Amino acid sequence: MMTRAVAPQALGYIGVRAKALDDWASYGAGLLGLQRVDQSRSTIAFRMDDHKQRVAVHADGGEGIGFFGWEVADATSLEALAAHLDNGGIAVAHGSRALADERHVTDLIVLSDPVGNRLEFFHGAQTTTEAFRPGRCISGFRTGPLGLGHVVLNVDRPDTLARLMAFYRDMLGFRLTDYYSEPFIARFLHVNPRHHSLAFIQTGKNAVHHVMMELFSFDDVGLALAEEGRLAVTLGRHTSDFITSFYTCTPSSFMVEYGWGARTIDVEHWQAYERKEGPSLWGHDRRWLSAADNAKARAQRLANAADSNRRPVQVIEGNYQLMPGICPWWDSLTSRGGAQK
């Protein structure tokens, strides 16, 4: 079992495969608000904070995500991880100096997970003092030690899910946060206080489902809804991380979840559990889901409403303002000691 001291700390970067760069240039900057920082004939890169690069798009004629960059603490942790994987029979290659420079990191190792996803573990991400300049007017992204966001992978069958869970938990030290079985099977794993940095959903195929990016301001999310033709999942709020979000279709055949207000967890004391209330408290009509499973999800949302299933809004300092006022319902609830947590 991988120790926490050596396990990955965050999702640091991703590499996207694309058929062409023009759509990503407008989508990444114009809708997502990423800062375009570098472009060649076949590559375009984006910033989303003080890191020199968070997203790299390669026009190689493909689609999906070509690599995932997971950050570890330092060189010692990287060496220990490489040795651990090698002892476990996992083929590990040391990244070249040229590759490290391309990724803007100090050093990295490269391997594949059980379904062939390319994983790069690195330390020493390069940062810059130059201010982040978003591609459209946004307040910024919630990253830092929580990483870029999270990624969710489609899984075809139960045996594939079992192999992936064993690999990421036992070999890499990811920890289970929670899970559910309806309207589809889902497993959520964390590496830091973000509720999940990685998740698997059993959908009948193996591919990237979505990447999540979290904004500082709720208005940043709402203003992105103005672009037509890319909506894949309507605005809603998840039961897992409490984020309010919608999903858009990228030019590379996966989705980006664009949201605000995700909770963090107490990693040291967290106990994994099964959730029964479905994936969303409200909203999130999923165009990718079958009619039958969408009906199940809708029934779960209606049950949440009937059961008064509510969750507190998750805020960070600076993006909220307390209001004076009286709510008889809330006052009666708190006086009975029944305030929801």
Side-chain angles (χ1 to χ4, degrees):
M1 180 69 71
M2 174 58 59
T3 65
R4 291 189 179 186
V6 180
Q9 296 183 327
L11 177 63
Y13 59 77
I14 58 172
V16 177
R17 304 183 66 196
K19 298 185 184 302
L21 295 180
D22 289 346
D23 284 347
W24 264 102
S26 59
Y27 174 79
L31 191 151
L32 298 180
L34 302 172
Q35 177 186 350
R36 195 175 82 183
V37 292
D38 186 38
Q39 185 173 22
S40 67
R41 182 170 298 180
S42 60
T43 304
I44 186 171
F46 294 100
R47 284 178 59 193
M48 59 191 303
D49 55 12
D50 63 339
H51 283 220
K52 286 189 174 181
Q53 181 173 290
R54 286 288 195 179
V55 179
V57 182
H58 301 271
D60 61 0
E63 59 186 23
I65 293 182
F67 54 85
F68 302 92
W70 293 97
E71 185 170 12
V72 300
D74 49 33
T76 301
S77 298
L78 188 65
E79 291 174 5
L81 175 60
H84 170 76
L85 292 168
D86 185 65
N87 291 336
I90 306 299
V92 177
H94 192 274
S96 67
R97 180 70 263 155
L99 180 62
D101 291 343
E102 183 179 332
R103 302 289 195 258
H104 296 282
V105 301
T106 299
D107 199 6
L108 75 163
I109 59 174
V110 181
L111 58 137
S112 296
D113 74 8
V115 296
N117 291 306
R118 178 183 169 108
L119 309 180
E120 300 179 357
F121 294 89
F122 71 92
H123 77 92
Q126 295 178 11
T127 59
T128 176
T129 58
E130 294 181 10
F132 168 63
R133 299 181 182 277
R136 70 176 180 89
C137 187
I138 61 170
S139 304
F141 295 94
R142 189 183 184 205
T143 56
L146 298 178
L148 180 157
H150 72 233
V151 60
V152 176
L153 303 178
N154 292 293
V155 176
D156 57 356
R157 302 186 308 270
D159 62 315
T160 306
L161 177 59
R163 286 191 294 127
L164 285 167
M165 288 292 292
F167 177 78
Y168 281 93
R169 292 183 70 182
D170 300 340
M171 293 302 298
L172 295 177
F174 286 68
R175 287 149 278 169
L176 182 66
T177 310
D178 52 34
Y179 58 97
Y180 57 78
S181 299
E182 293 290 345
F184 47 85
I185 293 172
R187 302 289 185 267
F188 300 87
L189 300 99
H190 63 274
V191 294
N192 59 47
R194 194 184 287 281
H195 175 273
H196 59 284
S197 292
L198 175 67
F200 305 110
I201 58 174
Q202 190 176 309
T203 60
K205 62 181 179 180
N206 291 320
V208 177
H209 186 268
H210 75 265
V211 172
M212 186 280 292
M213 297 179 181
E214 185 179 356
L215 283 297
F216 174 79
S217 168
F218 188 34
D219 289 334
D220 293 339
V221 176
L223 289 169
L225 282 166
E227 182 166 330
E228 298 181 359
R230 290 199 180 275
L231 188 66
V233 178
T234 60
L235 189 70
R237 194 176 190 207
H238 279 306
T239 59
S240 57
D241 56 3
F242 304 164
I243 197 170
T244 302
S245 63
F246 69 95
Y247 296 60
T248 64
C249 298
T250 73
S252 295
S253 298
F254 65 92
M255 295 180 290
V256 166
E257 180 183 8
Y258 204 66
W260 171 86
R263 67 167 164 171
T264 55
I265 62 172
D266 182 350
V267 172
E268 295 302 319
H269 301 97
W270 188 264
Q271 296 294 318
Y273 70 101
E274 181 178 6
R275 287 192 283 109
K276 301 289 189 179
E277 65 270 36
S280 301
L281 288 168
W282 53 268
H284 283 158
D285 287 315
R286 295 164 171 83
R287 297 182 181 179
W288 58 269
L289 202 58
S290 70
D293 286 345
N294 245 326
K296 292 179 183 178
R298 191 171 298 110
Q300 288 174 318
R301 295 197 300 269
L302 291 173
N304 286 330
D307 293 341
S308 294
N309 195 349
R310 308 288 188 268
R311 294 293 182 268
V313 174
Q314 310 294 302
V315 297
I316 57 179
E317 192 63 46
N319 71 358
Y320 69 95
Q321 181 176 345
L322 291 177
M323 300 182 299
I326 297 173
C327 176
W329 171 82
W330 178 254
D331 291 343
S332 67
L333 195 67
T334 54
S335 66
R336 298 195 305 268
Q340 296 187 37
K341 299 180 180 179

